[in-house]
Amino acid sequence: MIEFVGIFVYFIIALALSLILVGVSFVFATKKSDPEKISAYECGFDPFDDARSRFDIQFYLVAILFIIFDLEVTFLFPWALTLNQVGFFGFWSMMIFLIILTIGFIYEWRKGALDWS
Amino acid sequence: MVFNIHDDSLITLSTTYKTFLFDNDFQSLLPEIFLITAGIFLVVYGVIFSTSKDKNYPLLLTNISWLSLLACVFTFLLLVNSPVQNALLFYNTLVIDDFTTFIKGLILFSTFCCIFMSLDYIKQESLNAFETIILLVLSTCGMLFLVSSADFISLYLAIEAQSLCFYVVAALKRNSEFSTEAGLKYFLLGAFSSGLLLFGCSLIYGFTGVTNFSELGRIFTGGTQEILTSTTALPACELGMVFLLVGFLFKITAVPFHMWSPDVYEGAPTPITAFFLIVPKAALFGVFLRIFFESFYDFILPWQKILLVSSIGSMILGSVAALSQTRIKRLLAYSSIGHVGYLLAGFACGTIEGIQALMIYLFVYVFMNINMFAFLLCGMRREHLQTVPRMKYISDLAYLAKTNPILALTFTITMFSMAGIPPLAGFYSKAYLFFAAMSSNLYVLAIIGVLCSVLSCFYYIRLVKIMYFEGPKNWCSFTRVPLENAITLAITLFFILFFMLYPTPLHLITHKIALTLCL
């Protein structure tokens, strides 16, 4: 656990440094806002329509797939480290797990969840 | 053979020991493994062919339903012909004995019937997602594991495996608001109840360091273990047990925790409702009977009280709330809450006779509900609204006795059986249950049960009255009964009618499995 102290200190220093960098420009830069400057930028034109639009379901699909395969990786970490101890039994157990996940992946692939066209 | 699996110098030997150990385990879990493999094969088969351009994107639902039915049959055969009858598997996380075999058989049978009788309905309603049936098969597999589980971890994993499939299929009809609402409600309440269950498990594990049912039983026996009584561990374990019980009551929709079930049962598509109503009850009762009789039998005073309250509440609510329902599926939901009350009465007895009565009741309940839903899933045509091919209100039953007398008669008999009218199976199971309650001195329970049963006759028989004596407000007629539904109706009706003539086999089997559980 003691090695995390270094990371914690590093984290605090990084936070302080980034705050300083933001703050410095806040203190020294000239601030003069006018309507042209603070309006939304849409390639120079005024905004055409409402900012609220339908959200593409693809993003959800990608997020869900990411969660699933991220979990897969968390299961793979301890297996990779202990592979010399668990032997062929452990190896094949993980292979079965991976096969099941791969079948899920095939399902997604064929269903077109990964198509972005 | 060297059995030391922790020694590093013995890695190879220990590996062979492990594989040797699991060789037998895989053999005795063959039914479950087969069902999972079949489900996976069906997923691959379905997705490859349903998205294939050469085949013109075929709808594979019927095809996959039949294949799943075949898988259910084969699993049943594997289960019945299993070479191992009694075993503890996978480091004591799963158990196989006569009890699990019986419940698994019941689960497979009811899954088979649920899919079989909704074949035509699904086609008519064009619920074309083939994944539905595969999810039902996979949830059945989860339930098989659930019944077998002998450890809190496998219990929880199996419960989640089955309920995750349920959440998906409840929200099957994406374009129907009711269905999405049902899916969402079911998901929230299901997750909440699983959380309660898990908290109960963690309390018990935290205070005993054990998750295995039989080891817990050994710890709690007598309730006087010094380590437990000298600290606060015993009351904490009791609290954990109460949390487990509450989670269980949530899942089986018993009374204080029933509020989600009418909405979910009403909103979900009818085949799915049938599945929810019939199949998980058997699995949940199976595993929780095991927990409470094996691990927590020494806590019987608290759990019996809770179960008594819940049972009486369910019976009363099931009979009173169903009186005012106009939609048939809501009515059935409340009627199933009432049935859960009767089942819990058997549970609350805490005796071998109680378990036996519960098992008989469960068996008959499954048959009666399959019959009921085989009736509801028959095609129907409305005069004024051709597009709705299903029965929604109980007034739609009107005039059925003229348009389809045999179907009306079948439904009448099932209703009489549900109400508990003498020469039918429903009467037998209820009577046996009340005898069990009386013989364990639960007189109040038995009396309230009989009174509620009388009260529930009213709405069951009202349906019969609507069929035979009331003119229709708007004309509805059933289409020709599909062959599958006809077969299911015939078989279950035969059982309901003639069960009283020869109840011996069921008695023997249930007695045997009750002994398995208690001894």
Side-chain angles (χ1 to χ4, degrees):
Chain A
M1 284 300 274
I2 193 73
E3 66 268 25
F4 288 112
V5 174
I7 295 176
F8 183 64
V9 171
Y10 181 82
F11 175 75
I12 288 174
I13 292 172
L15 189 72
L17 187 64
S18 57
L19 282 178
I20 288 169
L21 287 179
V22 172
V24 162
S25 70
F26 216 67
V27 172
F28 291 107
T30 49
K31 277 176 288 183
K32 222 166 72 184
S33 59
D34 58 87
E36 288 301 311
K37 217 165 153 187
I38 60 169
S39 64
Y41 177 70
E42 284 197 11
C43 300
F45 298 102
D46 285 335
F48 287 120
D49 48 10
D50 198 22
R52 283 149 198 85
S53 60
R54 288 195 166 208
F55 197 71
D56 199 346
I57 198 90
Q58 293 278 4
F59 293 106
Y60 286 107
L61 278 178
V62 169
I64 290 170
L65 293 188
F66 171 73
I67 290 174
I68 292 170
F69 288 103
D70 200 35
L71 273 179
E72 175 192 357
V73 172
T74 58
F75 285 118
L76 279 172
F77 277 132
W79 173 78
L81 285 178
T82 55
L83 196 52
N84 60 342
Q85 287 161 47
V86 292
F88 271 100
F89 187 75
F91 176 77
W92 284 114
S93 307
M94 185 46 89
M95 282 306 123
I96 289 172
F97 176 71
L98 291 182
I99 287 170
I100 291 174
L101 269 173
T102 310
I103 283 165
F105 189 66
I106 292 172
Y107 175 80
E108 288 148 18
W109 192 298
R110 289 294 300 207
K111 273 275 164 178
L114 303 169
D115 287 348
W116 277 83
S117 52
Chain B
M1 184 61 65
V2 181
F3 288 96
N4 186 351
I5 56 170
H6 299 295
D7 198 336
D8 281 336
S9 63
L10 297 171
I11 288 168
T12 45
L13 279 175
S14 66
T15 323
T16 50
Y17 164 65
K18 274 189 230 166
T19 43
F20 163 75
L21 180 72
F22 282 121
D23 267 346
N24 288 332
D25 285 10
F26 285 126
Q27 243 181 37
S28 30
L29 271 189
L30 206 54
E32 283 87 346
I33 291 169
F34 171 75
L35 200 59
I36 288 185
T37 321
I40 288 174
F41 267 102
L42 287 179
V43 169
V44 175
Y45 161 75
V47 79
I48 285 181
F49 281 97
S50 69
T51 56
S52 109
K53 202 176 173 189
D54 303 339
K55 305 268 188 296
N56 268 331
Y57 303 105
L59 294 175
L60 287 173
L61 189 72
T62 320
N63 187 308
I64 282 192
S65 306
W66 280 105
L67 289 173
S68 319
L69 289 177
L70 195 65
C72 282
V73 171
F74 283 146
T75 315
F76 189 80
L77 290 178
L78 282 174
L79 182 75
V80 173
N81 295 317
S82 168
V84 184
Q85 300 294 337
N86 294 292
L88 273 171
L89 308 168
F90 292 114
Y91 293 113
N92 300 339
T93 50
L94 295 176
V95 61
I96 291 180
D97 54 22
D98 292 329
F99 179 71
T100 60
T101 310
F102 175 78
I103 303 259
K104 281 177 185 177
L106 193 61
I107 289 170
L108 283 170
F109 171 77
S110 40
T111 306
F112 179 89
C113 286
C114 282
I115 299 176
F116 189 61
M117 67 199 181
S118 33
L119 279 171
D120 186 73
Y121 184 91
I122 289 174
K123 210 189 289 171
Q124 300 294 336
E125 284 270 279
S126 53
L127 303 169
N128 287 328
F130 70 87
E131 292 90 344
T132 317
I133 301 295
I134 298 175
L135 281 171
L136 291 187
V137 169
L138 290 180
S139 72
T140 306
C141 201
M143 282 186 262
L144 297 189
F145 277 114
L146 180 59
V147 174
S148 273
S149 58
D151 193 289
F152 279 138
I153 296 169
S154 52
L155 164 91
Y156 182 73
L157 288 179
I159 281 192
E160 283 307 285
Q162 58 125 346
S163 14
L164 194 59
C165 299
F166 282 176
Y167 306 147
V168 180
V169 291
L172 169 64
K173 278 164 81 178
R174 280 177 301 175
N175 46 9
S176 144
E177 270 180 39
F178 292 110
S179 181
T180 40
E181 185 208 344
L184 200 60
K185 257 187 190 162
Y186 196 26
F187 172 65
L188 287 177
L189 272 300
F192 183 65
S193 62
S194 297
L196 288 178
L197 205 76
L198 197 59
F199 186 58
C201 296
S202 12
L203 270 182
I204 291 167
Y205 173 66
F207 280 93
T208 58
V210 165
T211 55
N212 195 283
F213 295 166
S214 53
E215 283 177 35
L216 274 175
R218 234 171 284 152
I219 287 177
F220 292 138
T221 305
T224 52
Q225 304 268 326
E226 278 164 38
I227 286 182
L228 290 178
T229 43
S230 60
T231 59
T232 53
L234 205 60
C237 291
E238 213 173 297
L239 186 67
M241 185 273 297
V242 172
F243 271 107
L244 271 180
L245 198 57
V246 168
F248 165 64
L249 292 179
F250 250 113
K251 299 260 177 216
I252 59 161
T253 72
V255 133
F257 316 107
H258 66 282
M259 55 298 199
W260 54 276
S261 77
D263 294 337
V264 171
Y265 290 166
E266 164 74 26
T270 315
I272 305 301
T273 310
F275 198 82
F276 285 172
L277 214 73
I278 298 167
V279 190
K281 299 270 187 315
L284 288 166
F285 266 102
V287 71
F288 279 91
L289 276 176
R290 179 182 297 286
I291 295 177
F292 283 90
F293 280 79
E294 200 170 322
S295 309
F296 298 126
Y297 199 71
D298 289 272
F299 290 138
I300 187 162
L301 288 175
W303 66 250
Q304 196 179 30
K305 264 177 226 149
I306 298 173
L307 283 179
L308 278 178
V309 170
S310 172
S311 162
I312 290 174
S314 309
M315 289 192 289
I316 292 175
L317 185 104
S319 48
V320 173
L323 291 176
S324 59
Q325 302 302 323
T326 52
R327 288 164 180 260
I328 186 105
K329 268 156 78 184
R330 257 191 128 70
L331 185 135
L332 285 185
Y334 279 109
S335 125
S336 103
I337 290 175
H339 283 299
V340 162
Y342 297 117
L343 287 166
L344 283 178
F347 197 158
C349 291
T351 55
I352 292 181
E353 208 185 352
I355 298 182
Q356 196 183 347
L358 196 165
M359 282 300 137
I360 292 176
Y361 197 94
L362 197 61
F363 200 77
V364 173
Y365 169 86
V366 164
F367 270 86
M368 287 192 305
N369 271 292
I370 286 174
N371 186 295
M372 177 93 85
F373 274 98
F375 168 79
L376 284 183
L377 289 166
C378 290
M380 157 163 266
R381 210 183 287 119
R382 274 166 198 268
E383 282 290 303
H384 67 291
L385 204 64
Q386 290 288 339
T387 49
V388 181
R390 58 182 180 274
M391 191 159 68
K392 224 172 177 180
Y393 302 98
I394 55 176
S395 57
D396 292 351
L397 282 170
Y399 231 58
L400 186 70
K402 289 282 189 310
T403 55
N404 204 333
I406 298 179
L407 203 58
L409 187 67
T410 312
F411 191 59
T412 310
I413 290 170
T414 315
M415 280 297 135
F416 278 138
S417 171
M418 283 223 172
I421 305 288
L424 301 167
F427 164 74
Y428 188 86
S429 56
K430 258 182 200 165
Y432 197 69
L433 203 91
F434 294 139
F435 285 142
M438 298 280 266
S439 66
S440 49
N441 288 334
L442 301 173
Y443 295 111
V444 180
L445 181 72
I447 289 168
I448 293 179
V450 172
L451 290 179
C452 289
S453 178
V454 171
L455 196 59
S456 65
C457 279
F458 172 77
Y459 61 82
Y460 287 129
I461 291 175
R462 191 174 62 152
L463 295 182
V464 176
K465 185 205 133 207
I466 289 172
M467 264 190 312
Y468 278 87
F469 303 111
E470 251 176 38
K473 287 196 196 93
N474 41 40
W475 283 88
C476 293
S477 62
F478 277 72
T479 51
R480 192 169 166 219
V481 180
L483 181 66
E484 297 90 14
N485 295 46
I487 292 170
T488 323
L489 277 170
I491 291 171
T492 46
L493 185 73
F494 183 81
F495 173 82
I496 291 170
L497 267 179
F498 299 113
F499 173 66
M500 282 282 264
L501 293 181
Y502 191 50
T504 323
L506 188 60
H507 257 284
L508 285 175
I509 293 171
T510 49
H511 191 65
K512 192 176 163 195
I513 64 171
L515 286 178
T516 318
L517 203 61
C518 292
L519 295 182

